[in-house]
């Protein structure tokens, strides 16, 4: 019966089968059932040994995350205690693992006396990725089984490992080729018959003794993980708990692990990381594009333009095993583009992350051409030429003529109107935006842009393509900057105004970095280049509404020929060959000059006002985007910001973060800022509505 644990008999061996689709999650009910079944088999004299296994796709995917948000019901079964009973069983207990053993499922296996796993099984402790730690003995049994350093890697890494790796490290005992359950039954029977002492992970001491002489392991590990774990609580809590394997007696270490687990589970960080986990799954749901909408099969692709983005997009397609034909406007541009692709692959090979053979195979999938006729067979064409509307239209008209009738035509434009581009073709329903982020072969986000005429099939096709490429596709609507960049403009604009009012780039960059972003707006701008947006601003100058505040600072920096790292100077200066930003008095003077010119008396800007001033307007823009129907849900915006801009996952994305801050607070601050600084900061109507109703973005549904 689903949601239970079946007891099957194989002679004198009792088989306990977890049955709780889809992942045999250890819900409260399942834990209670496990405890009861253990009591039952221990009391039954005809049972000599026990095998624990899973029904359906896997052994056990772990705790039921949805149960985390509420406190456990009164009298709820306590997993650590149940697992202690499993381990203490005088009758051998063998785990027969297939599919996946993750989190609490892995901890259950660790409490067994032997772990057998089928080929293809993946095992691990991914709790850290949800902002928690293995809270049912995992931080204690794992180091005793495989050693402190390996356990730190497994627990803090949070990955699922193939069975071969688990066996090599020692947290699985054997990879079983034949009938897994039969083998497990036989091993359990042998263990019972031999009468040999059972191997209980909590009692193993050898690895701990080996580590005892080297207490520096932990600090070294903390140092090693510092960059990746910046801002996150859970990885540090994991290390602390593993350390107690050496410093506390087992029962106390277990108690401590529980206390820390409960603290983390109740934390905003874990709530944010769980939100992120669900948000990433939610993006696939599009109300008018149901799951069964037929996606066109994509077996080959074309890319037009092999510059920064086109090259990365071609790599991404080739990496996923798709043959790609790449078209450029001249032989020289084609050679240059492919040379960059080759150089990028070679860099990965030299870092040991790709084999030469794999690089050759991927390159072999990329076919360069100058002839549109060669694109005729592609199932999808992705355009990534210069950001100029007449050029895009010309390219799409040509693609429309040469591509087969059912091919999807996609544009990587970041600012232009997808509908206007679609109008250049005879098949606007097959035209869509696929907005990749730079570097396109690395960044996981794709904003898939739905035009006025884009068909459900076309949307289904690009959403599926995102998955095929190992990316996360988020469906957005047509507007200037789409979702991500439109919100970025709102944030960046306020940063420039703060410069006029008294701040300097290093202060803003430091505060934004400390908030958890990978870098502040000015370091980011130096990295991506100042000239592109300058060109856009110049083109828009004539139509800019005169009453809106406009900061000329960035234009002035560009006028000095300072385009960022590529010219050795931008908002900072750079020593030759170095990417380290050095604050530059020239910029300080330039900014002070602009303030004087605008009649703004410079003041000391406090660190505390920077986060609200930059991020509340960003959230405010998100609210407008939701109201305008350009994103399906607030959590989609969170996914865009976590995967496209490095918004810290432990804050769950800007909209989730805003809910934590409280929309009342954000609305009130926006209203005050609006009074002080004018139109750009006008609170969004949705923000006001939700604040008035005491609701959050999570409650919003169109
Ligand atoms: N750079 C980014 O971070 C970024 C991010 C997202 C989207 N985009 C968008 O991607 C597109 C490309 O940007 P990019 O940064 O790769 O520009 P880029 O200048 O690096 O590359 C453009 C390429 O298009 C080629 N090209 C120009 N006209 C062509 C034609 N008629 N036929 C074939 N090829 C032609 C050029 O030779 C050049 O190699 C733009 O629409 C841009 O807005 C850029």
């Amino acid at each position: 019966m689903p949601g239970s644990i079946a007891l099957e008999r194989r002679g004198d061996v009792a088989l306990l089968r977890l049955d709780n689709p889809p992942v045999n999650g250890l819900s409260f009910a399942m834990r209670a059932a496990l405890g009861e079944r253990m009591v039952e088999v221990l009391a039954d004299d005809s049972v000599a040994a026990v095998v624990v296994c899973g029904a359906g796709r896997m052994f056990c995917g772990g705790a039921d995350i949805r149960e985390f948000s509420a406190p456990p019901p009164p009298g709820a079964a306590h997993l650590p205690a149940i697992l202690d009973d499993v381990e203490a069983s005088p009758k051998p207990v063998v785990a027969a693992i297939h599919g996946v053993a993750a989190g609490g499922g892995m901890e259950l296996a660790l409490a067994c006396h032997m772990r057998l796993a089928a080929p293809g099984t993946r095992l691990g402790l991914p709790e850290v990725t949800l902002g928690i730690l293995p809270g049912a003995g995992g931080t204690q049994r794992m180091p005793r089984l495989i050693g402190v350093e390996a356990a730190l890697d497994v627990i803090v890494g949070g990955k699922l490992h193939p069975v071969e790796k688990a066996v090599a490290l020692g947290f699985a005992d054997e990879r079983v080729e034949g009938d897994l359950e039969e083998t497990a039954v036989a091993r359990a029977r042998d263990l019972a018959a031999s009468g040999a002492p059972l191997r209980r992970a909590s009692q193993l001491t050898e690895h701990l003794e080996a580590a005892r002489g080297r207490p520096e392991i932990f600090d070294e590990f903390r140092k090693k993980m510092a960059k990746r774990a910046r801002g996150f609580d859970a990885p540090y809590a994991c290390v602390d708990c593993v350390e107690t394997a050496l410093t506390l007696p087992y029962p106390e270490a277990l108690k401590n692990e529980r206390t820390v687990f409960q603290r983390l589970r109740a934390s905003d960080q874990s709530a944010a990381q769980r939100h992120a986990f669900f948000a990433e799954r939610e993006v696939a749901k599009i109300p008018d594009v149901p799951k069964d909408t037929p996606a066109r099969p994509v077996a080959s692709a074309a890319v037009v333009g092999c510059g920064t983005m086109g090259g990365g997009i071609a790599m991404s397609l080739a990496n996923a095993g798709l043959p790609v034909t790449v078209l450029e406007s001249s032989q020289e541009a084609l050679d240059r583009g492919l040379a960059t692709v080759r150089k990028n692959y070679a860099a990965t090979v030299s870092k040991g992350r790709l084999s030469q053979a794999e690089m050759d195979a991927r390159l072999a999938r990329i076919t360069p051409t100058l002839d549109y006729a060669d694109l005729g067979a592609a199932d999808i064409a992705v355009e990534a030429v210069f950001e100029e509307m007449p050029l895009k239209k010309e390219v799409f008209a040509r693609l429309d003529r040469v591509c087969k009738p059912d091919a999807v035509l996609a544009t990587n434009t970041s600012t232009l109107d997808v509908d206007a581009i679609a109008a250049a073709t005879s098949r606007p329903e097959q035209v869509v935006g696929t907005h990749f982020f730079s570097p396109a072969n690395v960044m996981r986000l794709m904003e898939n842009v739905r035009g006025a005429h884009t068909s459900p099939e076309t949307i289904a096709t690009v959403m599926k393509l995102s998955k095929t490429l190992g990316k996360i596709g988020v469906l957005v609507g047509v507007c200037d900057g789409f979702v991500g960049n439109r919100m970025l403009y709102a944030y960046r604009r306020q940063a420039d105004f703060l410069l006029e009012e008294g701040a300097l780039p290093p202060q803003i960059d430091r505060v934004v970095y400390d908030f958890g972003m990978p870098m502040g707006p000015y370091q980011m701008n130096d990295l991506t280049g100042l000239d592109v947006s300058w060109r856009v601003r110049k083109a828009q100058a004539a139509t800019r509404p005169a009453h809106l505040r406009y900061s000329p600072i960035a234009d002035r920096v560009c006028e000095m020929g300072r385009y960022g790292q590529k010219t050795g100077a931008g908002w900072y200066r750079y020593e030759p060959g170095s990417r380290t930003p050095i604050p530059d008095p020239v910029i300080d003077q330039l900014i002070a000059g602009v303030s004087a010119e605008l009649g703004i008396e410079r003041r000391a800007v406090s660190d505390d006002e920077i986060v609200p001033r930059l991020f509340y307007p960003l959230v405010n823009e998100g609210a407008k985007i939701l109201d305008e129907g350009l994103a399906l849900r607030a959590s989609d915006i969170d996914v865009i910001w976590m995967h496209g801009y490095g918004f810290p996952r432990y804050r769950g994305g800007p909209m989730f973060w805003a809910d934590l801050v409280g929309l009342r607070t954000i609305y009130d601050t926006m209203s005050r800022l609006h009074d002080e600084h004018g139109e750009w900061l006008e609170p969004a109507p949705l923000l006001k509505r939700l604040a008035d109703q005491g609701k959050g973005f999570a409650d919003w549904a169109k």
Side-chain angles (χ1 to χ4, degrees):
M1 199 177 64
S4 67
I5 297 180
L7 197 163
E8 299 166 23
R9 287 298 292 261
R10 303 281 166 90
D12 57 352
V13 176
L15 204 89
L16 304 187
R17 191 182 299 282
L18 310 181
D19 187 1
N20 189 23
V23 300
N24 297 330
L26 289 171
S27 59
F28 292 122
M30 288 289 284
R31 291 177 218 182
L34 179 61
E36 284 158 21
R37 287 300 191 200
M38 280 309 293
V39 171
E40 200 178 328
V41 295
L42 290 182
D44 185 342
D45 286 342
S46 70
V47 172
V50 183
V51 168
V52 183
C53 62
R57 286 195 298 152
M58 62 178 69
F59 176 73
C60 176
D64 189 335
I65 308 167
R66 289 182 199 273
E67 283 181 357
F68 279 18
S69 312
H78 188 56
L79 190 62
I82 295 168
L83 296 191
D84 276 352
D85 290 346
V86 170
E87 188 183 55
S89 158
K91 300 178 184 181
V93 185
V94 174
I97 307 169
H98 77 290
V100 168
M106 185 69 235
E107 289 180 292
L108 165 59
L110 293 178
C112 296
H113 306 126
M114 182 185 275
R115 287 153 290 279
L116 307 183
T121 304
R122 295 178 310 135
L123 308 92
L125 294 169
E127 284 89 341
V128 72
T129 62
L130 296 172
I132 51 174
L133 50 68
T139 69
Q140 299 305 307
R141 290 195 177 94
M142 194 58 101
R144 285 169 168 83
L145 265 176
I146 69 174
V148 166
E149 280 145 311
L152 286 171
D153 280 334
V154 170
I155 295 171
V156 178
K159 281 204 215 92
L160 294 186
H161 300 278
V163 53
E164 292 75 16
K165 173 101 185 277
V167 170
L169 288 176
F171 63 100
D173 296 301
E174 193 182 330
R175 176 178 177 276
V176 175
E177 288 278 359
D179 187 318
L180 176 68
E181 282 171 19
E182 280 311 313
T183 309
V185 167
R187 293 280 195 284
R189 194 171 284 139
D190 289 350
L191 279 178
S194 76
L198 296 173
R199 191 161 176 260
R200 297 189 169 90
S202 70
Q203 293 176 5
L204 303 175
T205 55
E206 190 189 337
H207 284 302
L208 299 190
E209 290 314 320
R212 223 175 276 286
R214 293 180 298 127
E216 67 280 3
I217 296 174
F218 298 97
D219 275 340
E220 280 168 10
F221 194 85
R222 286 185 189 98
K223 252 186 237 151
K224 199 175 82 180
M225 75 182 196
K227 202 167 156 205
R228 213 160 51 97
R230 183 173 70 95
F232 287 89
D233 291 338
Y236 290 95
C238 289
V239 179
D240 293 349
C241 279
V242 172
E243 193 167 17
T244 64
L246 295 182
T247 56
L248 293 177
Y250 180 77
E252 275 176 51
L254 211 57
K255 224 191 275 169
N256 172 66
E257 178 196 82
R258 196 66 196 163
T259 309
V260 179
F261 171 82
Q262 281 165 341
R263 174 171 63 74
L264 291 176
R265 187 183 60 183
S267 68
D268 285 348
Q269 287 211 352
S270 175
Q273 287 173 258
R274 277 161 11 222
H275 164 78
F277 176 86
F278 289 119
E280 284 160 2
R281 280 147 189 82
E282 202 66 16
V283 287
K285 295 185 194 147
I286 303 165
D288 65 334
V289 185
K291 238 182 161 171
D292 55 2
T293 308
R296 287 165 216 276
V298 174
S300 64
V303 174
V304 184
C306 193
T308 310
M309 295 306 289
I313 295 168
M315 288 175 77
S316 198
L317 291 158
N319 294 352
L322 294 169
V324 198
T325 308
V326 175
L327 180 137
E328 257 292 352
S329 53
S330 68
Q331 189 61 46
E332 196 196 341
L334 198 52
D335 292 345
R336 196 175 347 114
L338 282 164
T340 305
V341 167
R342 221 169 283 124
K343 201 180 80 196
N344 286 339
Y345 276 134
T348 316
V349 170
S350 71
K351 285 181 201 142
R353 294 209 302 259
L354 186 74
S355 70
Q356 184 64 46
E358 187 53 34
M359 163 173 164
D360 295 344
R362 291 179 187 191
L363 272 175
R365 288 185 205 119
I366 302 178
T367 310
T369 187
L370 294 172
D371 186 355
Y372 269 86
D374 292 338
L375 311 186
D379 296 309
I380 185 168
V382 183
E383 166 278 317
V385 302
F386 300 134
E387 188 76 338
E388 292 159 16
M389 185 54 99
L391 177 62
K392 302 262 185 200
K393 284 187 169 169
E394 183 200 315
V395 168
F396 270 75
R398 295 187 77 168
L399 286 173
D400 190 33
R401 283 199 292 278
V402 299
C403 290
K404 60 184 185 183
D406 59 350
V408 166
L409 308 183
T411 173
N412 187 50
T413 182
S414 31
T415 55
L416 301 175
D417 183 351
V418 174
D419 294 327
I421 294 171
T425 74
S426 64
R427 51 175 114 179
E429 69 287 350
Q430 282 157 244
V431 176
V432 67
T434 48
H435 185 213
F436 288 79
F437 283 66
S438 183
N441 54 315
V442 177
M443 297 294 285
R444 283 190 71 202
L445 179 68
M446 277 170 77
E447 281 183 325
N448 293 331
V449 188
R450 167 185 216 152
H453 302 286
T454 311
S455 69
E457 288 74 18
T458 303
I459 293 170
T461 305
V462 293
M463 292 299 286
K464 186 162 171 223
L465 178 69
S466 302
K467 250 195 200 152
T468 308
L469 302 184
K471 298 189 187 289
I472 300 190
V474 183
L475 189 68
V476 301
V478 175
C479 65
D480 186 19
F482 308 122
V483 171
N485 284 341
R486 180 171 154 183
M487 291 167 72
L488 184 74
Y489 302 153
Y491 146 101
R492 174 52 200 278
R493 198 179 286 127
Q494 296 304 320
D496 285 6
F497 293 158
L498 272 180
L499 295 185
E500 290 177 354
E501 291 165 33
L504 291 172
Q507 184 193 9
I508 294 181
D509 281 347
R510 172 175 50 75
V511 171
V512 169
Y513 178 79
D514 288 346
F515 177 78
M517 298 294 288
M519 60 183 84
Y522 298 104
Q523 285 189 23
M524 176 59 94
N525 205 186
D526 273 359
L527 183 69
T528 56
L530 277 70
D531 48 329
V532 182
S533 48
W534 185 36
R535 232 175 292 132
V536 175
R537 287 196 300 278
K538 279 195 286 194
Q540 293 171 343
T543 54
R544 195 162 38 235
H547 68 284
L548 283 176
R549 182 172 172 186
Y550 177 83
S551 174
I553 296 179
D555 297 343
R556 301 285 168 82
V557 177
C558 290
E559 283 159 16
M560 296 173 79
R562 299 173 67 125
Y563 294 165
Q565 289 189 17
K566 60 184 167 190
T567 57
W571 295 98
Y572 298 87
R573 63 181 186 84
Y574 299 84
E575 295 293 346
S578 160
R579 289 172 169 274
T580 307
I582 304 167
D584 192 340
V586 174
I587 291 293
D588 300 357
Q589 282 159 19
L590 181 150
I591 293 170
V594 171
S595 304
E597 212 176 284
L598 296 173
I600 299 172
E601 193 178 329
R602 293 181 67 75
R603 62 186 175 87
V605 171
S606 77
D607 284 358
D608 290 346
E609 68 182 286
I610 293 177
V611 166
R613 183 72 184 272
L614 267 55
F615 287 97
Y616 290 3
L618 180 151
V619 167
N620 195 52
E621 202 63 37
K624 291 184 198 165
I625 284 168
L626 283 178
D627 233 2
E628 291 167 29
L630 299 167
L632 282 169
R633 44 186 90 82
S635 63
D636 280 13
I637 297 180
D638 289 333
V639 172
I640 287 172
W641 270 83
M642 285 186 286
H643 289 286
Y645 302 85
F647 196 94
R649 195 175 175 85
Y650 58 80
R651 296 194 193 277
M655 308 309 270
F656 184 84
W657 170 74
D659 279 357
L660 285 180
V661 171
L663 297 195
R664 182 85 251 161
T665 302
I666 296 189
Y667 173 77
D668 289 346
T669 309
M670 285 300 296
S671 300
R672 178 176 56 75
L673 291 172
H674 182 217
D675 291 344
E676 287 170 11
H677 302 288
E679 188 154 354
W680 285 120
L681 292 157
E682 184 172 4
L686 177 64
L687 182 61
K688 177 169 171 30
R689 280 205 306 280
L690 291 172
D692 287 347
Q693 294 166 7
K695 289 185 173 169
F697 289 118
D699 306 309
W700 178 87
K702 192 83 182 157

